Amino acid sequence: RVNGLRPLVERLVTRLLDAADARGGAPADLVEDFASPLALSVICVLLGVPEEDREQFRTWVRQFATVSGPPEEAVEGREKLGAYISGLVAAKQEAPGDDVLSALIAARAGADRLSFEELVGLGYTLLGAGYDSTAGQIANFVLTLLAHHPEQWRHLADHPQDVPAAVEELLRYVNLNATDTSGLPRIATEDVLVGGARIPAGEAVFLAFASANRDEAVFPDADRLDFARTGNGHLAFGHGIHNCLGAPLARIELTVALRELTRRYPATRLAVPEDELPWRVGDVNHSLLALPVHLAAAPS
Ligand code: HEM
């Protein structure tokens, strides 16, 4: 099913970049105009959110996902979204579509089907886990390359076959979960020993994937961005039973986005100095609020 989504991702990327071109040389905001609508459209297709509802859906998602705004807004967004997803599940129970939500409604293990609450919960989870993370990493990858490794951007423009390996290396190298301010928490359900440290039952711990991904014992020369790295066993998608369910889809989105951006615009540069870029603060994901760039096919 995920492989079947590749043509859709290709079409969305082309459409968004054509729209950026049509603005005739004005800087494009790769968060608002590209990464965010791409990642959200893919989730909307997965869930089967009809085209006419997407703008409204997007407003609620943003309210729900933004922790730096007024808390009442986040609560309102969550409630509206919950009601919407419940309505969507009910509608698809009546009239199934060609989407993952309908497939999940039909799925059964033995005599057991997913309950209505479980289906709504899954809708939320796909949205919460799959939208902001993918949009955030697309923008983070572009910034890392343009601001710090412009020669690698041009390398990908000339060697599109290296993009999948570049995506793996950027997943390792770029920190999506800013564990110095926030991150993915776990609560120990029993006393546990990790690396010689005892974590008592009930204590919270943060998973520092970003630190693990720069572990010198695992990745030689870990602070180097190296597309030729082999055996890249990074933890960007987690590990174990909570390993990212959407990793194959995220890989498609990241690969198509990076391949097309570098192929179409090898001479792209930031439109503002890096230290003026606005970041979301205090959220699980370390992501940009805007990324203005000059998309350019040739140096100006
Ligand atoms: C670059 C994009 C993405 C990154 C970096 C990412 C990263 C992660 C990480 C680190 C986890 C593990 C969380 C934990 O251990 O608590 C996770 C879980 C998950 N992700 Fe992703 N993800 C991405 C995209 C997506 C997409 C596109 C989807 C769905 C369409 C998705 C769905 C999920 C789900 C459902 C889980 C929970 C799995 C579970 O708890 O069993 N993710 N993701």
Side-chain angles (χ1 to χ4, degrees):
R1 208 169 242 286
V2 165
N3 270 335
L5 287 171
R6 186 182 282 273
L8 168 89
V9 175
E10 309 247 359
R11 276 199 306 279
L12 286 168
V13 165
T14 302
R15 196 191 307 159
L16 291 165
L17 294 180
D18 287 350
D21 282 349
R23 260 177 257 125
D29 176 356
L30 284 188
V31 172
E32 270 302 299
D33 303 337
F34 183 71
S36 182
L38 171 64
L40 190 60
S41 294
V42 172
I43 297 286
C44 283
V45 170
L46 268 188
L47 294 179
V49 175
E51 196 86 43
E52 63 272 17
D53 291 351
R54 293 197 188 161
E55 204 39 57
Q56 182 60 75
F57 190 74
R58 184 168 136 98
T59 311
W60 295 330
V61 170
R62 296 201 81 114
Q63 285 179 346
F64 164 59
T66 309
V67 292
S68 45
E72 315 77 61
E73 241 180 49
V75 171
E76 189 193 322
R78 192 188 58 200
E79 280 169 2
K80 296 255 172 72
L81 211 54
Y84 183 85
I85 294 176
S86 301
L88 202 60
V89 172
K92 296 203 179 282
Q93 282 176 325
E94 283 291 306
D98 181 25
D99 48 68
V100 167
L101 209 50
S102 299
L104 288 170
I105 289 168
R108 54 163 77 233
D112 192 19
R113 280 174 181 261
L114 292 172
S115 70
F116 186 79
E117 287 70 29
E118 284 168 333
L119 289 162
V120 173
L122 264 169
Y124 256 131
T125 308
L126 288 180
L127 195 59
Y131 164 47
D132 200 53
S133 51
T134 312
Q137 279 303 58
I138 291 173
N140 288 349
F141 283 12
V142 172
L143 174 64
T144 298
L145 291 172
L146 293 183
H148 302 285
H149 304 276
E151 70 296 344
Q152 316 250 59
W153 178 274
R154 285 189 296 275
H155 172 88
L156 293 180
D158 296 333
H159 304 86
Q161 70 278 14
D162 290 350
V163 171
V167 164
E168 290 310 308
E169 176 65 344
L170 285 159
L171 279 164
R172 181 192 73 82
Y173 188 79
V174 176
N175 175 11
L176 179 67
N177 300 119
T179 46
D180 48 345
T181 55
S182 61
L184 293 165
R186 291 286 195 278
I187 312 287
T189 55
E190 54 189 61
D191 289 3
V192 60
L193 259 186
V194 180
R198 185 177 154 274
I199 301 165
E203 282 293 303
V205 284
F206 280 105
L207 303 180
F209 290 134
S211 170
N213 282 343
R214 298 286 185 105
D215 185 345
E216 284 287 343
V218 180
F219 305 103
D221 209 358
D223 287 335
R224 210 166 84 100
L225 181 69
D226 178 6
F227 295 162
R229 193 177 287 282
T230 50
N232 188 352
H234 64 69
L235 295 183
F237 290 121
H239 186 70
I241 96 167
H242 290 289
N243 190 39
C244 178
L245 198 61
L249 178 58
R251 285 188 162 107
I252 290 179
E253 291 184 61
L254 293 165
T255 304
V256 175
L258 195 57
R259 191 196 65 210
E260 287 306 292
L261 280 166
T262 50
R263 185 184 69 80
R264 286 175 64 149
Y265 313 107
T268 296
R269 58 189 205 287
L270 292 181
V272 299
E274 187 188 0
D275 59 8
E276 288 177 17
L277 290 171
W279 290 89
R280 205 173 284 164
V281 176
D283 206 342
V284 173
N285 290 336
H286 183 58
S287 58
L288 287 157
L289 288 165
L291 181 59
V293 299
H294 293 290
L295 292 172
S300 54

